Amino acid sequence: MADDELPKPEPKEIDEKLSIQLRHLLEDATLKGKPYGEEKCDNCLYYSEVDQKISYCWHPKLRILVGAEWWCQWWEKIEE
Ligand code: SF4
């Protein structure tokens, strides 16, 4: 039955390239997977949908999906 087995999934070249690009992006932003005190993505100006656990960050240097509890150096207060 070995002939019927599907090949084991493996990352492709594009995945390695994207992984490196995204890693550099994270380092530039000092993006962390946890809040910085009271500051976190879901109370940041750039977080698109505050009621979602994952949402689009529209900061011009990021433009990626981020988690509600993440944080980066470009955090900005939402003005009332
Ligand atoms: S700018 Fe930074 S803190 Fe604000 S939503 Fe984007 S990643 Fe999160």
Side-chain angles (χ1 to χ4, degrees):
M1 296 304 274
D3 289 346
D4 294 340
E5 283 177 24
L6 292 171
K8 196 174 153 203
E10 283 183 10
K12 303 280 188 279
E13 196 178 321
I14 181 74
D15 299 309
E16 286 172 23
K17 198 173 145 195
L18 284 172
S19 172
I20 291 166
Q21 281 176 359
L22 287 167
R23 173 63 52 197
H24 288 154
L25 201 67
L26 301 196
E27 286 168 2
D28 281 353
T30 60
L31 185 61
K32 307 283 185 207
K34 58 183 183 184
Y36 183 76
E38 297 296 306
E39 299 178 5
K40 54 185 182 162
C41 290
D42 77 354
N43 64 13
C44 171
L45 174 69
Y46 297 102
Y47 195 72
S48 295
E49 297 166 280
V50 292
D51 55 341
Q52 298 294 319
K53 293 286 179 206
I54 294 175
S55 185
Y56 182 70
C57 165
W58 57 274
H59 189 285
K61 290 188 173 177
L62 284 169
R63 295 191 171 117
I64 55 170
L65 287 172
V66 294
E69 298 291 312
W70 296 9
W71 172 90
C72 88
Q73 65 170 333
W74 296 312
W75 182 90
E76 272 207 43
K77 191 174 180 219
I78 302 167
E79 295 301 332
E80 302 291 312

